[in-house]
Amino acid sequence: MEQYLLDCISDLKRAGDDAGRRKRAINKSDTWDLLNKNWKALAVLAAEKTAPKTIDKDEMGNKQNNSVNRGHRNRIGRRGGRQSRMGLEDHLPTPQQVIASENSAAFKLSVLIAQKHKMSKWENSFDEQMDLLRLECSQGIHPVWSRLAREAPIFAEFERFDIIEEEMKTFDSKEWIKAANLNPNDIVSLRKWLNMEVPFNLSSTQALSLEKIRKDLAGRPRPLTWPQIMKGKLRNLENEGALLESMLLLSANSNDALDVLEKIKNISDMKTVVSKQKRLFLINSGDNSVIIDCINQKGKDELSNAIRIEAWKKIELIDSELSLDSLLRGKEILENANENIPSILLWEISKNLFQKEEFVDSIKMIEKLSINNDEELIFAIEIISKTPSEKLEETILESLKSAGEECLAFAMRCVDAPPKIQLASSKILSNNDSIRYTDDILSVLTRTADIENLANKMNSDKTLGLVYPFRALMVWHLMPAETGIKNIEQLIGLRKQALNSLEGSEKDDVLSDVSISLISLLGGVPSNIDSIHKILDKGAIIVLNQVRKALSSDGSGVVKNSLIASLDESLEDIKLSTLDRRLFDALIDSLYLNSSAMQLQSGNIEKEENALSTLERLAAKENNTIRTIRALTNLVKEHNIGIESLEKWYRIHDKESVRISNNSCRNTERKRE
């Protein structure tokens, strides 16, 4: 600070004796902004050529007047009365403050000299302190105090002290260099580092430039303006100075920083931090040549951590495969830093978990992400084929709308994918090129039990019923009643065609053995049901065998409803495909119909009432099949009974039919009689 004051008041020589011109001169000095208010106060006193005033004899004889006049006389450099504005010269510390400070003896003495001439009350202890300070100054003072004495007579006594040139200061830069292991883009860390004492001598202009940057950091930092502030002052430095230069340029995101770092990369004390700063700058610039080194960066300091964070944020730059442990570590690093995790990192983790067959964890990693390309879409279909996720399924269905043809074909052919995904992709391909994908589309409609669309395909091409007879029978057994009633003649024809071509047909590779066995059971076609036994548990097999025995030619023909209900409950806990689940449901309904038909023929009133209750419940079911509705209708006609829910169904879906209504009415009248 003494040197800065010397540089500042040296400019007074050219300003002459005019106080105004002299003040302007120090204000324009390069080092003026480097001085704090205490030191600026001394510079102002020098500019004003402040001198002690002479006390006349009258004042010496009058103590009271002396006290008043002293207070008036010693307002150094001030004009006006009580309302005058405080000037810089009034920013001198108090005697108590300066004595307790760690400033040089000469600074303390200069402040006490100025305050003694300014203050109205003065303590003897202050004079004692001044004597001690004079003794210390007699050992030698900085040249600035001699220059201050020549500019302001009030400080004349400094002329009697010897001048000593400031010794070359030695610095220990180890802690300063160590502290440079920071992220130069972190304003808080950079501000803290720049506030440390630099381990080399700065010229006045260099110090001023650095001070401007420090002030900029204290407000709203504008690092992009720093290179201009540094120009010609904090550029082309050497050794530790070059490290300071590079840090400022790195913060300003200037490519010149690399050249500066290159210049000092072999200096042993700075080699490590220089290498790491260069690595951080390159990864921030998108240079993938250093990304592997960056993600494997060792160290717990701020700079090492910043390198790892930036590398994992740019995981898309990595060409090589990383282990699951490495990927999870990268995710943890970003989470600990409160950084957003790149979706590509989550996709990579999910793929690795998928390979380890950890399907639940794999799908959790990506189910909330958007799908950005066909590669991600294909993987999403693969993983959802292993474990369900409503959220991911919705995302896949939306992504299929813009997917490529190969991706759509993959989705359509993925037999384990959710039915909605298979159907959505097949629908898009059908609209684009239905002929080329005919077999695939039929397979999807079959696997997913999309009965209505499968029926449309078969009705539009009559040969399909001959080629795929089991599928045609499946259409008959599972066709929704509301649709089937409108196309009943076509369905009957399709069923007859299928039954006629069953014997010479080849095995249908799309239908499972279980599906074929269930279709056969529903149609009364002889078939081996071992495949059904394989998927049922022991209890369900026992119940099924009891049902078959009761319905066989040697059986009683009567199956208790409790037995059928037991079979139905057993099926709930078994994992079945969409198609097999619907076929089993149709089988259960068929068993109830057969059981009710046998009870109606028994002549037992209790059994008849039980049968009517069962039929009423079946007729009231939602999403009934046309097969069930026709079977119910035949029972009404055969046994002249009334089923209220069936009558209601016909009134809604087949208003022209009056058969059920008439039968119901006659049955009701008979019961009344």
Side-chain angles (χ1 to χ4, degrees):
M1 201 62 75
E2 289 176 321
Q3 185 60 45
Y4 296 156
L5 180 59
L6 177 59
D7 293 342
C8 182
I9 63 177
S10 293
D11 293 338
L12 293 174
K13 185 176 181 180
R14 298 190 300 270
D17 294 329
D18 181 72
R21 191 181 301 122
R22 287 165 67 86
K23 285 184 179 180
R24 287 193 293 273
I26 60 172
N27 282 326
K28 292 179 180 179
S29 171
D30 290 337
T31 57
W32 173 255
D33 289 333
L34 297 174
L35 300 172
N36 63 35
K37 289 184 177 180
N38 297 160
W39 288 79
K40 285 180 177 178
L42 292 178
V44 171
L45 293 177
E48 293 179 341
K49 300 180 70 66
T50 304
K53 292 188 178 181
T54 304
I55 302 175
D56 58 33
K57 293 179 180 181
D58 293 335
E59 289 176 336
M60 290 290 290
N62 191 324
K63 290 184 179 181
Q64 184 176 357
N65 289 340
N66 181 47
S67 175
V68 175
N69 290 339
R70 176 183 173 89
H72 172 73
R73 179 182 67 244
N74 292 332
R75 291 184 180 273
I76 301 172
R78 290 286 303 275
R79 292 184 179 181
R82 294 171 60 187
Q83 300 300 320
S84 59
R85 184 170 57 89
M86 178 181 282
L88 277 170
E89 67 274 15
D90 294 313
H91 285 284
L92 288 170
T94 65
Q96 293 88 340
Q97 290 172 336
V98 76
I99 291 170
S101 72
E102 296 182 359
N103 288 294
S104 66
F107 177 80
K108 293 180 180 180
L109 181 58
S110 67
V111 172
L112 290 173
I113 290 170
Q115 290 287 29
K116 185 173 183 179
H117 286 77
K118 178 182 178 183
M119 296 174 63
S120 59
K121 294 182 180 180
W122 188 256
E123 298 178 11
N124 292 333
S125 61
F126 298 160
D127 287 326
E128 293 173 2
Q129 285 293 330
M130 292 177 71
D131 290 339
L132 292 174
L133 292 170
R134 290 185 180 101
L135 184 61
E136 190 174 344
C137 288
S138 66
Q139 304 300 314
I141 58 175
H142 189 278
V144 67
W145 305 110
S146 176
R147 182 57 185 261
L148 186 65
R150 294 197 298 272
E151 296 294 344
I154 192 175
F155 302 115
E157 66 174 282
F158 281 115
E159 287 277 43
R160 64 190 178 92
F161 299 126
D162 292 335
I163 302 300
I164 56 171
E165 294 296 332
E166 191 173 11
E167 295 181 2
M168 183 64 68
K169 187 175 181 180
T170 57
F171 298 95
D172 184 357
S173 61
K174 289 183 180 179
E175 287 301 317
W176 185 79
I177 293 172
K178 182 180 178 181
N181 282 284
L182 57 88
N183 182 356
N185 295 314
D186 186 324
I187 296 302
V188 175
S189 297
L190 184 65
R191 183 191 300 129
K192 183 178 178 181
W193 184 70
L194 287 180
N195 284 334
M196 295 177 68
E197 183 182 11
V198 293
F200 54 91
N201 289 314
L202 291 169
S203 68
S204 298
T205 55
Q206 289 174 334
L208 180 61
S209 296
L210 183 58
E211 189 62 24
K212 287 181 179 179
I213 292 174
R214 285 171 175 160
K215 287 183 177 180
D216 186 60
L217 273 170
R220 293 185 177 180
R222 298 166 297 168
L224 295 180
T225 66
W226 295 355
Q228 185 61 33
I229 296 174
M230 297 165 63
K231 189 175 181 180
K233 299 161 189 173
L234 292 175
R235 296 302 305 271
N236 301 316
L237 304 181
E238 302 291 335
N239 301 319
E240 287 88 349
L243 179 59
L244 172 64
E245 177 185 357
S246 66
M247 293 291 286
L248 296 175
L249 292 173
L250 287 169
S251 186
N253 199 31
S254 171
N255 289 327
D256 291 347
L258 287 179
D259 296 332
V260 180
L261 290 171
E262 191 70 20
K263 185 170 62 174
I264 55 175
K265 67 178 183 179
N266 294 321
I267 298 177
S268 58
D269 291 342
M270 294 185 283
K271 190 173 183 179
T272 301
V273 68
V274 166
S275 173
K276 287 157 67 175
Q277 288 292 358
K278 181 178 179 181
R279 194 172 291 171
L280 178 60
F281 184 82
L282 290 175
I283 193 64
N284 279 333
S285 302
D287 189 335
N288 65 350
S289 65
V290 297
I291 191 164
I292 296 298
D293 291 334
C294 288
I295 65 173
N296 294 321
Q297 177 68 51
K298 303 296 182 183
K300 297 181 180 180
D301 56 87
E302 180 187 337
L303 179 54
S304 298
N305 195 40
I307 292 171
R308 290 189 292 268
I309 290 171
E310 291 303 320
W312 284 112
K313 285 165 63 176
K314 296 176 175 61
I315 186 68
E316 72 278 359
L317 298 178
I318 297 181
D319 296 327
S320 56
E321 292 186 3
L322 299 175
S323 67
L324 177 59
D325 288 342
S326 180
L327 293 168
L328 289 173
R329 186 170 63 253
K331 177 175 176 287
E332 183 181 8
I333 287 172
L334 293 176
E335 286 175 338
N336 291 339
N338 294 320
E339 293 283 354
N340 292 327
I341 301 174
S343 61
I344 188 172
L345 176 57
L346 297 176
W347 282 102
E348 288 300 319
I349 293 174
S350 181
K351 289 175 184 177
N352 275 263
L353 290 169
F354 180 81
Q355 291 171 2
K356 293 181 177 292
E357 298 186 357
E358 297 178 20
F359 303 128
V360 175
D361 290 336
S362 175
I363 208 165
K364 284 181 179 179
M365 201 63 63
I366 62 168
E367 63 182 350
K368 295 181 180 180
L369 300 179
S370 59
I371 296 175
N372 303 306
N373 52 58
D374 283 1
E375 181 183 352
E376 291 178 353
L377 180 54
I378 288 174
F379 173 70
I381 295 170
E382 288 178 338
I383 185 62
I384 205 171
S385 299
K386 298 296 184 181
T387 185
S389 169
E390 291 184 8
K391 178 63 178 175
L392 184 58
E393 184 174 343
E394 291 175 3
T395 306
I396 291 173
L397 290 171
E398 185 63 29
S399 299
L400 286 173
K401 298 176 182 178
S402 57
E405 184 175 336
E406 291 185 8
C407 185
L408 289 167
F410 174 84
M412 178 178 64
R413 293 165 180 160
C414 191
V415 297
D416 295 323
K420 287 183 180 180
I421 292 175
Q422 297 182 53
L423 288 169
S425 55
S426 67
K427 183 177 180 180
I428 296 172
L429 288 172
S430 178
N431 293 334
N432 295 342
D433 192 350
S434 60
I435 296 177
R436 184 150 61 102
Y437 292 105
T438 296
D439 286 344
D440 289 313
I441 293 170
L442 287 174
S443 298
V444 170
L445 297 176
T446 302
R447 285 196 305 268
T448 59
D450 187 352
I451 303 304
E452 296 176 64
N453 285 318
L454 181 60
N456 290 337
K457 292 286 185 183
M458 288 190 159
N459 286 326
S460 62
D461 185 348
K462 301 300 182 182
T463 63
L464 294 177
L466 298 173
V467 178
Y468 304 112
F470 277 99
R471 299 190 199 185
L473 287 176
M474 181 185 76
V475 168
W476 169 254
H477 295 313
L478 301 182
M479 174 61 74
E482 291 83 354
T483 303
I485 196 66
K486 301 172 184 176
N487 305 287
I488 190 64
E489 297 303 327
Q490 290 178 322
L491 290 173
I492 292 172
L494 185 63
R495 177 173 176 268
K496 288 180 180 179
Q497 186 185 43
L499 289 172
N500 292 333
S501 59
L502 270 179
E503 187 174 349
S505 65
E506 297 181 358
K507 186 178 184 305
D508 194 322
D509 293 332
V510 174
L511 291 172
S512 67
D513 291 340
V514 174
S515 298
I516 291 175
S517 296
L518 289 170
I519 293 169
S520 299
L521 276 176
L522 287 166
V525 178
S527 174
N528 188 332
I529 66 169
D530 288 345
S531 58
I532 297 178
H533 284 172
K534 289 179 181 179
I535 67 169
L536 298 179
D537 58 27
K538 186 177 180 179
I541 292 173
I542 293 173
V543 174
L544 180 61
N545 288 337
Q546 290 175 344
V547 171
R548 291 187 66 212
K549 183 178 180 180
L551 295 176
S552 67
S553 58
D554 298 333
S556 63
V558 178
V559 181
K560 293 181 179 180
N561 284 357
S562 60
L563 200 61
I564 301 172
S566 178
L567 176 61
D568 194 12
E569 290 176 4
S570 300
L571 293 171
E572 290 179 0
D573 299 328
I574 299 174
K575 185 177 181 180
L576 298 170
S577 68
T578 301
L579 175 57
D580 289 345
R581 176 69 65 186
R582 289 188 61 180
L583 287 170
F584 265 117
D585 289 343
L587 178 62
I588 295 297
D589 287 350
S590 179
L591 291 174
Y592 277 123
L593 286 167
N594 288 342
S595 175
S596 297
M598 298 301 293
Q599 292 181 64
L600 289 173
Q601 294 174 8
S602 67
N604 184 301
I605 295 177
E606 183 179 349
K607 289 182 179 181
E608 288 180 2
E609 289 179 352
N610 184 58
L612 286 171
S613 176
T614 300
L615 296 175
E616 186 69 46
R617 178 175 55 80
L618 288 175
K621 281 181 62 176
E622 293 183 3
N623 303 320
N624 248 323
T625 63
I626 190 61
R627 182 178 185 274
T628 298
I629 293 296
R630 282 182 60 80
L632 289 168
T633 303
N634 290 336
L635 287 174
V636 167
K637 293 167 64 177
E638 181 180 351
H639 296 283
N640 196 28
I641 57 176
I643 302 175
E644 185 177 346
S645 295
L646 183 63
E647 180 185 0
K648 182 179 179 181
W649 187 91
Y650 270 106
R651 285 176 177 172
I652 295 174
H653 300 289
D654 190 12
K655 295 180 180 179
E656 296 180 0
S657 176
V658 295
R659 294 169 299 173
I660 301 302
S661 296
N662 291 336
N663 282 331
S664 295
C665 290
R666 287 196 298 269
N667 183 63
T668 301
E669 290 174 0
R670 188 181 67 205
K671 285 184 176 180
R672 286 176 179 174
E673 292 174 358

